[in-house]
Amino acid sequence: MKTDVKKIFGSNVFNDAVMKERLPKAAYKKMKATIDAGAELDPEVADIVAHEMKEWAIEKGATHFTHWFQPLTGITAEKHDAFIDPQGDGTTLLRFSGKELIKGEPDASSFPSGGLRATFEARGYTAWDCTSPAFIKETPHSTILCIPTAFCSYKGEALDKKTPLLRSMQALEIQVLRILRLFGNKTAKHVTTSVGPEQEYFLVDKEKFLKRKDLIFTGRTLFGAMPPKGQEMDDHYFGVIPERVLEFMEKFNEELWKLGISAKTQHNEVAPAQHEIAPIYDQNNIATDHNQLVMETAQRVADELGLKCLLHEKPFAGINGSGKHNNWSICTDEGENLLDPGETPHENMQFLLFLAAILRAVDEHADLLRLSASTPGNDHRLGANEAPPAIISIFLGEQLEDVVEQFVDNGEATSSLEGEEYISGVHSLPHFQKDATDRNRTSPFAFTGNKFEFRMVGSTQSIADPNTVLNTIVAEVLSDMADRLEASDDLPMAIHDMIKDTIAAHNRIIFNGNGYSDEWVAEAERRGLPNIKCMVDAVPALVKEDAVEIFEKHGVYTKAEMESRAEVMYETYAKTINIEALTMIDMAKKQIVPATIKYQTSLAESVNAIKAASSAVDTSVQEALMADISANLKAMYAALAHLEEVTNKAEEMEEGAEQGHYYHDVVFAAMDELRKPADKLEMLVAKSAWPFPSYGDLIFEV
Ligand code: ADP
Ligand code: MG
């Protein structure tokens, strides 16, 4: 084995083992109490921890520290501070205090805040999230101690994605503990959500990437004719991984392991040049931090190896896009997975109550979940006849669906289906019990054995938003359930009735069939399930009255925070489409039109030369080609003028919903119109004359 995995795993993390080894016993105990139980941190302990953290980081070669945070851009932010403390005699000590560890004050007024703070009120604080371990980010040119933090304004409003996530985890914990107590559990002290995000990405050759302005500026291709072959042969999925990609994966895994990220699974995905990585699940906020590092590391390692990692939800039209499957469950500090149904789910009332609560939460707040997975890039997947559909539904699988049906039909469930024996017809193959449930790949929200898998999340996205929503809507339902159960004098009966009634009221959200089919769209409409097709249509869910009420009640968002986030979403959408439109205009004008004219001229010269050489030779092919090119060039030029006109108009509009819709309905549509003739031209013009690499070059020649 080339890599000593045991040795490098977590070697760049200031984790529990390091603290145990380096901190004085008393300080370690207090620190643990803060991490595990949320006890307030003694400033003296903070000083000790800071000192040891610094010593450890310096041993690893670090010169700077940073409060690492997650602003509303969806990516991470850092500002480096050196450990130096000049002594006035020309020398320096290296220092790092508890105060510096706990609190930072970046003048971070240029991050999107959706009007939450004006630039003259620039004060913003970063506060140490000690539940997510500090780590060292080692790149070829820097070694930085990174301290995961939350980012808030002077007035305490969340300016990041981490703060609401932590608040939502707290909110869910409170309500889950109430339910557990009702089931007689007196010992569980803590409840967290566990999350395992599967990350899809594309790898392309860097040199080719750099020849495409669309990839450089927007992360996706804005032009490109389909190659003769796409993904129809299914020969890439789980296929043998090419050497160059394996080289990437090897380095990628190593870097992740050093960061204590349990990179576990890797494989080729459905589309050519598409791959996936999945870590082992972690506590929600840690998983969120880790996923950011996964995305960042993938891009860095790819770049170092002459590749580019595309995280965009839809880098290429006509083949699959990328998502992020957000596996989510609820666990106690005693190690109980509350979404584990056990062998006989029909008897497991506690599980069934949590299941019913999730059904209700997802049904009542489908629009919020849909919103939480909305990015400009994800619009190309959700609602565009691709995986998964924009309609939220839940897949339970045969076993639970059967239990649910029993409740609906008979008011109670008396049996659970069992997994049958696996029979292959070959004597030498092993016999085993199958799972009680098959899988469904088209469901946006699927039960997969002991967790739910929310599959709508976009590949570029921070998983903070979807989990914040998921935690909060489930907390809300559980709080209502706990209110009613706590007031009942026949608890077992009340629990039974609550499961039965909740299932009956919300089973319309369950769908086990093909989520990609047209029949499902019609059926969902009949059931009254929302089908929100694009990001701009999704945003209003965030500011409607009942959403505000719930988020305020559970202390996750204030109304002002929600309104500001809605504003940021409209802004993000408008800016993204604007950049895409400008990039298309640029490529069309400076590359496609000139290249086409040049090729056209060479055809004309060839016709003239042939005619001059001999009047007997037929030049009709060249002439037909010229006519075809001319017609498309003309159409393209008209579409280009139209796109320029509507983009200018959009830029002049005031930011907000109206502008967002204009970008979606008018500008985005005009981009499509420009692409059509341009892609036809690509098929008419000689490959050697086309100004940038084709789809075939990009996805089949990595
Ligand atoms: P599947 O085959 O159902 O997709 P995998 O075993 O491949 O499941 O796991 C997918 C992801 O789900 C992994 O990141 C895994 O760690 C995560 N996962 C497994 N169990 C849980 C759980 N209880 N809570 C959250 N995530 C989980
Ligand atoms: Mg999965």
Side-chain angles (χ1 to χ4, degrees):
M1 190 165 48
K2 278 184 279 178
T3 310
D4 188 342
V5 183
K6 270 168 92 172
K7 188 162 161 217
I8 65 166
F9 192 86
S11 59
N12 279 346
V13 187
F14 194 73
N15 53 26
D16 188 50
V18 176
M19 285 197 283
K20 200 168 191 173
E21 185 194 314
R22 301 190 72 123
L23 296 177
K25 227 182 191 155
Y28 171 74
K29 263 196 165 158
K30 283 190 185 164
M31 192 63 231
K32 271 295 266 185
T34 304
I35 294 172
D36 295 343
E40 208 168 306
L41 190 67
D42 179 340
E44 253 174 61
V45 175
D47 270 329
I48 298 171
V49 174
H51 175 78
E52 281 307 323
M53 210 185 254
K54 176 205 71 186
E55 291 295 307
W56 169 82
I58 289 171
E59 281 166 29
K60 301 252 164 215
T63 51
H64 293 70
F65 70 93
T66 183
H67 273 201
W68 186 72
F69 60 104
Q70 303 176 15
L72 299 186
T73 51
I75 51 177
T76 61
E78 52 194 75
K79 179 186 108 188
H80 304 166
D81 271 290
F83 291 119
I84 55 168
D85 181 13
Q87 294 300 294
D89 62 354
T91 65
T92 189
L93 292 179
L94 298 180
R95 272 194 215 281
F96 183 48
S97 68
K99 249 195 199 150
E100 288 171 302
L101 168 63
I102 289 174
K103 187 190 100 182
E105 198 198 326
D107 170 23
S109 50
S110 292
F111 288 110
S113 78
L116 261 192
R117 89 189 166 147
T119 30
F120 59 89
E121 305 169 315
R123 233 182 245 278
Y125 295 112
T126 47
W128 181 28
D129 170 17
C130 67
T131 60
S132 178
F135 58 91
I136 285 178
K137 202 152 85 183
E138 215 184 336
T139 66
H141 301 291
S142 73
T143 307
I144 310 285
L145 169 65
C146 295
I147 297 149
T149 57
F151 178 43
C152 292
S153 76
Y154 184 69
K155 294 184 190 124
E157 289 139 335
L159 295 172
D160 67 349
K161 299 201 179 249
K162 186 80 170 279
T163 310
L165 174 68
L166 291 169
R167 291 174 182 160
S168 76
M169 289 166 63
Q170 231 167 274
L172 185 64
E173 173 175 56
I174 294 168
Q175 304 308 331
V176 171
L177 283 173
R178 286 177 70 194
I179 299 287
L180 289 181
R181 297 293 180 254
L182 288 164
F183 279 94
N185 181 330
K186 306 251 179 307
T187 46
K189 290 199 197 67
H190 284 288
V191 169
T192 56
T193 35
S194 53
V195 171
E198 303 165 47
Q199 174 78 45
E200 293 178 336
Y201 60 92
F202 281 80
L203 282 181
V204 297
D205 182 77
K206 184 172 166 182
E207 260 179 53
K208 291 177 190 142
F209 171 98
L210 290 174
K211 290 190 178 128
R212 296 213 45 143
K213 291 190 185 175
D214 46 7
L215 287 178
I216 294 174
F217 293 130
T218 73
R220 74 178 180 104
T221 53
L222 300 167
F223 295 104
M226 273 309 282
K229 182 182 174 200
Q231 64 191 40
E232 58 278 73
M233 301 299 285
D234 290 325
D235 49 357
H236 189 256
Y237 188 53
F238 280 22
V240 176
I241 303 174
E243 264 318 300
R244 194 169 181 202
V245 174
L246 281 174
E247 185 191 5
F248 162 84
M249 287 178 170
E250 184 182 34
K251 181 103 199 283
F252 184 31
N253 283 328
E254 260 176 42
E255 293 300 311
L256 295 179
W257 290 334
K258 281 193 218 163
L259 291 165
I261 299 172
S262 48
K264 170 93 174 150
T265 317
Q266 60 195 28
H267 63 81
N268 284 354
E269 256 303 327
V270 172
Q274 191 185 29
H275 311 278
E276 180 183 300
I277 179 165
I280 295 172
Y281 66 91
D282 231 321
Q283 183 175 302
N284 205 341
N285 58 325
I286 299 176
T288 305
D289 288 359
H290 281 180
N291 184 248
Q292 292 287 354
L293 290 171
V294 164
M295 293 194 282
E296 197 182 309
T297 307
Q299 287 173 301
R300 179 168 56 76
V301 170
D303 196 75
E304 282 170 28
L305 298 175
L307 294 162
K308 277 285 175 182
C309 172
L310 310 180
L311 292 170
H312 196 283
E313 285 82 2
K314 192 74 180 175
F316 303 100
I319 55 172
N320 273 19
S322 297
K324 188 140 41 191
H325 292 178
N326 188 81
N327 293 273
W328 175 93
S329 187
I330 313 172
C331 307
T332 70
D333 56 346
E334 299 175 315
E336 184 182 0
N337 177 356
L338 301 176
L339 297 188
D340 185 350
E343 296 282 306
T344 48
H346 71 282
E347 295 172 325
N348 188 342
M349 292 317 230
Q350 182 182 298
F351 167 77
L352 288 174
L353 188 68
F354 282 116
L355 179 71
I358 293 168
L359 292 180
R360 178 176 152 197
V362 174
D363 186 27
E364 286 181 344
H365 305 290
D367 56 346
L368 283 171
L369 274 177
R370 170 68 181 85
L371 165 85
S372 78
S374 295
T375 69
N378 225 8
D379 272 8
H380 298 277
R381 298 172 65 228
L382 312 178
N385 293 326
E386 220 197 287
I391 306 162
I392 302 246
S393 64
I394 297 183
F395 169 80
L396 286 182
E398 280 163 55
Q399 190 189 43
L400 291 185
E401 164 116 318
D402 171 64
V403 171
V404 161
E405 259 168 32
Q406 293 181 52
F407 266 105
V408 173
D409 295 344
N410 317 323
E412 63 178 340
T414 51
S415 65
S416 295
L417 298 176
E418 279 175 37
E420 288 165 12
E421 199 173 347
Y422 171 79
I423 302 166
S424 68
V426 179
H427 297 306
S428 58
L429 287 179
H431 287 219
F432 50 82
Q433 288 292 111
K434 289 192 290 192
D435 293 294
T437 293
D438 198 3
R439 284 172 179 273
N440 177 319
R441 285 168 46 93
T442 62
S443 175
F445 203 89
F447 185 75
T448 44
N450 59 3
K451 61 188 191 284
F452 274 99
E453 191 168 329
F454 184 34
R455 298 176 174 150
M456 267 188 177
V457 185
S459 50
T460 48
Q461 253 190 291
S462 158
I463 55 168
D465 288 343
N467 288 302
T468 301
V469 167
L470 202 45
N471 294 342
T472 309
I473 60 177
V474 174
E476 166 59 14
V477 171
L478 292 177
S479 111
D480 176 57
M481 287 179 157
D483 286 347
R484 288 192 281 143
L485 293 177
E486 281 163 1
S488 108
D489 36 21
D490 182 352
L491 191 56
M493 199 56 186
I495 290 173
H496 180 272
D497 286 350
M498 186 170 278
I499 293 170
K500 184 183 73 170
D501 295 345
T502 310
I503 286 176
H506 298 284
N507 76 342
R508 66 168 189 168
I509 195 75
I510 300 171
F511 177 63
N512 284 346
N514 179 4
Y516 298 170
S517 68
D518 293 337
E519 293 81 59
W520 169 231
V521 175
E523 163 72 10
E525 194 177 338
R526 212 178 43 71
R527 293 189 192 183
L529 302 177
N531 183 359
I532 303 170
K533 295 225 171 68
C534 61
M535 176 167 172
V536 281
D537 285 342
V539 180
L542 190 57
V543 285
K544 62 178 198 200
E545 221 170 290
D546 64 328
V548 173
E549 204 176 294
I550 291 167
F551 281 106
E552 289 210 316
K553 172 177 160 192
H554 295 280
V556 176
Y557 288 125
T558 63
K559 186 170 187 219
E561 285 170 344
M562 295 176 79
E563 284 169 349
S564 71
R565 268 153 221 260
E567 216 174 285
V568 170
M569 289 188 84
Y570 283 128
E571 241 176 73
T572 305
Y573 185 81
K575 285 178 182 166
T576 306
I577 305 299
N578 192 56
I579 293 170
E580 290 185 350
L582 294 179
T583 305
M584 277 191 105
I585 293 168
D586 191 273
M587 290 171 79
K589 269 192 178 169
K590 295 191 196 155
Q591 295 186 287
I592 301 177
V593 170
T596 307
I597 291 175
K598 198 168 162 199
Y599 181 66
Q600 182 79 312
T601 308
S602 74
L603 285 177
E605 281 167 3
S606 142
V607 172
N608 286 339
I610 292 168
K611 279 190 173 155
S614 158
S615 58
V617 178
D618 180 20
T619 54
S620 63
V621 172
Q622 288 92 326
E623 284 169 50
L625 191 52
M626 281 166 62
D628 217 354
I629 289 177
S630 243
N632 280 296
L633 191 58
K634 193 171 168 201
M636 186 182 152
Y637 212 65
L640 176 60
H642 178 63
L643 179 60
E644 280 194 284
E645 186 193 319
V646 295
T647 307
N648 284 336
K649 190 166 167 214
E651 281 175 331
E652 281 161 21
M653 292 171 78
E654 203 182 312
E655 279 176 356
E658 204 189 323
Q659 189 200 37
H661 280 285
Y662 187 81
Y663 268 108
H664 179 267
D665 301 341
V666 182
V667 179
F668 191 68
M671 285 163 58
D672 238 13
E673 288 311 306
L674 173 57
R675 177 168 182 156
K676 283 179 204 155
D679 288 358
K680 281 194 194 141
L681 284 172
E682 185 182 344
M683 298 304 288
L684 295 169
V685 171
K687 179 158 178 61
S688 57
W690 198 247
F692 35 77
S694 68
Y695 267 32
D697 299 336
L698 285 163
I699 59 179
F700 285 105
E701 294 177 29
V702 183

